[in-house]
Structure formats: C-alpha cells, structure tokens
Amino acid sequence: MVEKQNLILAFESSCDETSVAVVRNGDEILSNVIATQINSHKRFGGVVPEVASRHHIEQITICIEAALNEANVTYDDLDAVAVTYGPGLVGALLVGVNAAKTVAFAHHLPLIPVNHMAGHIYAARFVKPFEFPLMALLVSGGHTELVYMQADGQFEIIGETRDDAAGEAYDKIGRVLGVPYPAGKVIDEMAHQGQDTFNFPRAMIDEDNYDFSFSGLKSAFINTVHHADQIGATLDKNDLAASFQASVVDVLVSKTLRVLKQYPVKQLVLAGGVAANQGLRERLQLELPKHFPDAELLLAPLKLCGDNGAMIGAAGYIQYQHQQFGDASLNADPSLEFDWMPNMPH
C-alpha cells in the first residue's frame, strides 16, 4: 500500500491504444499499461474505427486490473479518475469514457474529463516542471499545432495544419513505399540512410502565418513515385524517405523558430506521436540553442510520445487541483478543440 497522495487512475482510448495508468501527484508514474492494436490494423494500412472499438472493449478491464496491480494500489487508494473524452474516434472514446464513469460512480471518485491533446503536452511534465510562458509544438497523426501556454491549463492555438497532419502524411507515403502501418518510425530510420535529393516542396514555409500544410508534399511524393513507375525508373527508397522527412522537418522547425520571435518563452515542448521522430528531435536540439539560448527544449519521453494513460493523468492532475470535474452526463467529443479549461482564469 502507498501513502495517500493524489493518486489518479487515468484512461486513454482515443484511437488504437487502450491504456490505463496510475499517476501520483501529476508527475510520477506508478503504472502505465498500454495494449496496442497495431497488428490488427496493419493489414488495413491504417486504423479501422470499428475494429479499434471492439479491441478497447476486450482490453479495458484487463488494463484497469493490470494498472492497479502494477502500482500496488486498490480503488480505495485513488483520489480521482481521469479520462480522454476527445478528440479521437467516437466509438473508441466511448469505451474509455464509460469505463471511467463506471469506476468513478462505483467508488465515489471525482471524474476528470481531459483533452487528448492537452495530455500529449503534459507528457513532457514527467521530464521536469513546466515554466511559463511556454510554446508546445504538437505533432501527431491527427494534429500539427503550435500551442502557446501562459499558465497551466491555458491553451492558445497560434498555428495549425490546414489539411493533413504530419503523422497522417507519414502513414500515407508509407503505403507508397511499402512500409507497414504505422510508418513513421521506419521512414525516420530510412531517412537517416538517405539524402535529400528530391527537394520536395516546403509548403507555406515563407508565408506570414504559423499554419502548416502537408497535403501538397504528400501529392508531390506520390506523383514522383508514380511517374518513375510509369517510365520504369528505380528510385532510391532511402533518398525518398530522407527528402520527405527533410521537407516536414524544415517546415516544422522554421515555423517554430519564427513563432518564438513573436512569443518569447521559457520552454519549448515537443510532444505528440511524431515527437518520437529522431530527425525532428535532432534538428530542434541543434537549432533552438543557436537562435534562442535562453529557451529550454523539453522533449516528451520517447515511450510517452504515443497515446498513453500516464499523460492523461498528468494533464488531469492540473484539473484535479482546480476542481474541474465532469459528471454522469460526460460524453465523447470526437472533434473536441482546445479551449480554456473551464473555471480557469483568463
């Protein structure tokens, strides 16, 4: 048994990972159980929502039990239950939301509704405490955003993708390269073996805004490969991967450096699934100290870049401190956007 400190049981089921974690005081992971479904979705080349939902239903109670056992706690030790309620796949979200509501109701615990994207940012909270103001570069399968934070729980979107998110583009070109889903890690490894010989477009890199666009890059990539196929030419797959990744990283890093001129910050947080990309991590580690020596780079831990319950526990802890609770009417919100957390000072 552990002494009674703020223990949160946190649920994450927004896409294709079922995860339940026990987090103490918002910054210590006692357990973080993740049941991945990658093998089930591989054959389809992407996540199939109906398949994902069924897997969550099968895994959720197993994950709860495993998380409590690994943390060596019981329901009586818990102080609250946190859950992702959006954004994500509606069927997948509903499994986590209903499981969390059931546990909260049965054990008389407060229920904390957490924005999945806030969870990604707070994954970096396990590295060290946040110092404000900070900027988060949030890069995942469904989102690419620059988010400015003046205090805990205050999120202001400064720039976002207008079409495909970076992670989405990786998966789509992965199919063309014959790389199994999820393609990001393999393309990153291939990119380190190749050269940027194709000079793909750097969309919106010079435009006077902080938004992103990756659909043109995806099209240019696919057209290059299809044209080569038609004329019987063989292209170096590592060079293709390197050229694609160079374009993505150039745009992400240049826009991030530019936004920091307008919004001076103490910390830059890199978070989200694509934050595991070594090319992106390396470039930010190189460029940030050069241009902004006083800003500290916080990289979400590699094992917490993907979807996981611990990050939801970290974000949920902030809301727990501000008594921001949901009730039995809480529902999944698949297109949830960043907003001021309720009851937070503006």
Side-chain angles (χ1 to χ4, degrees):
M1 297 288 286
V2 295
E3 56 191 292
K4 185 93 166 166
Q5 298 179 58
N6 293 324
L7 290 185
I8 294 178
L9 182 71
F11 291 78
E12 158 58 37
S13 70
S14 65
C15 190
D16 62 341
E17 259 97 15
T18 315
S19 181
V20 182
V22 178
V23 175
R24 176 160 52 198
N25 295 337
D27 60 5
E28 187 185 347
I29 300 171
L30 299 189
S31 63
N32 191 25
V33 175
I34 303 169
T36 184
Q37 307 173 7
I38 284 173
N39 288 337
S40 296
H41 298 286
K42 230 175 215 174
R43 58 197 157 145
F44 304 112
V47 178
V48 180
E50 177 66 18
V51 174
S53 305
R54 287 171 189 229
H55 276 294
H56 287 307
I57 291 166
E58 290 166 9
Q59 293 290 341
I60 195 89
T61 49
I62 300 167
C63 289
I64 296 170
E65 197 176 329
L68 292 172
N69 286 341
E70 195 182 312
N72 193 26
V73 299
T74 68
Y75 287 114
D76 292 340
D77 299 313
L78 301 174
D79 294 280
V81 177
V83 63
T84 299
Y85 74 109
L89 303 171
V90 66
L93 288 164
L94 281 168
V95 178
V97 167
N98 284 316
K101 285 204 290 193
T102 304
V103 170
F105 175 78
H107 300 279
H108 311 290
L109 294 165
L111 178 69
I112 308 166
V114 177
N115 182 318
H116 176 74
M117 304 315 293
H120 273 305
I121 294 174
Y122 275 88
R125 182 67 186 75
F126 291 109
V127 179
K128 61 182 302 187
F130 284 172
E131 292 175 35
F132 300 101
L134 68 77
M135 185 72 68
L137 172 59
L138 202 48
V139 206
S140 72
H143 296 77
T144 304
E145 297 169 333
L146 283 162
V147 184
Y148 182 62
M149 295 180 64
Q150 287 184 289
D152 271 321
Q154 293 186 10
F155 306 99
E156 187 185 345
I157 293 183
I158 309 297
E160 60 190 326
T161 186
R162 296 188 182 176
D163 42 58
D164 286 10
E168 216 174 338
Y170 269 91
D171 286 331
K172 285 176 180 172
I173 72 126
R175 283 177 217 167
V176 180
L177 282 175
V179 174
Y181 170 86
K185 189 171 189 292
V186 179
I187 292 171
D188 186 19
E189 288 163 4
M190 291 166 69
H192 280 76
Q193 310 294 317
Q195 303 293 325
D196 176 12
T197 55
F198 291 94
N199 293 313
F200 289 127
R202 270 64 168 161
M204 300 175 63
I205 196 165
D206 296 320
E207 284 189 25
D208 192 21
N209 59 49
Y210 303 116
D211 287 347
F212 305 95
S213 167
F214 295 106
S215 67
L217 166 63
K218 177 197 67 186
S219 300
F221 183 96
I222 292 169
N223 291 342
T224 300
V225 173
H226 285 175
H227 177 67
D229 287 346
Q230 284 164 351
I231 61 172
T234 305
L235 303 180
D236 186 304
K237 287 190 172 183
N238 289 341
D239 286 351
L240 280 167
S243 303
F244 171 81
Q245 179 150 301
S247 173
V248 173
V249 171
D250 278 356
V251 171
L252 290 173
V253 173
S254 70
K255 291 259 177 177
T256 302
L257 294 176
R258 189 136 44 93
V259 82
L260 295 182
K261 285 183 187 151
Q262 190 178 339
Y263 293 85
V265 296
K266 292 180 181 170
Q267 289 175 329
L268 172 66
V269 169
L270 176 65
V274 184
N277 183 286
Q278 290 301 331
L280 181 55
R281 290 169 93 93
E282 287 160 10
R283 181 77 75 82
L284 282 173
Q285 284 168 319
L286 183 73
E287 300 287 346
L288 190 70
K290 267 198 248 173
H291 297 273
F292 300 96
D294 295 335
E296 178 182 29
L297 180 62
L298 275 193
L299 301 171
L302 279 173
K303 65 178 187 294
L304 299 181
C305 285
D307 296 347
N308 66 88
M311 69 184 196
I312 302 306
Y317 177 70
I318 302 302
Q319 292 170 248
Y320 176 78
Q321 289 179 305
H322 289 85
Q323 305 283 295
Q324 291 163 0
F325 302 134
D327 56 29
S329 68
L330 180 67
N331 203 352
D333 186 347
S335 51
L336 179 69
E337 295 190 355
F338 266 128
D339 195 4
W340 299 96
M341 284 187 184
N343 314 324
M344 282 290 195
H346 279 217

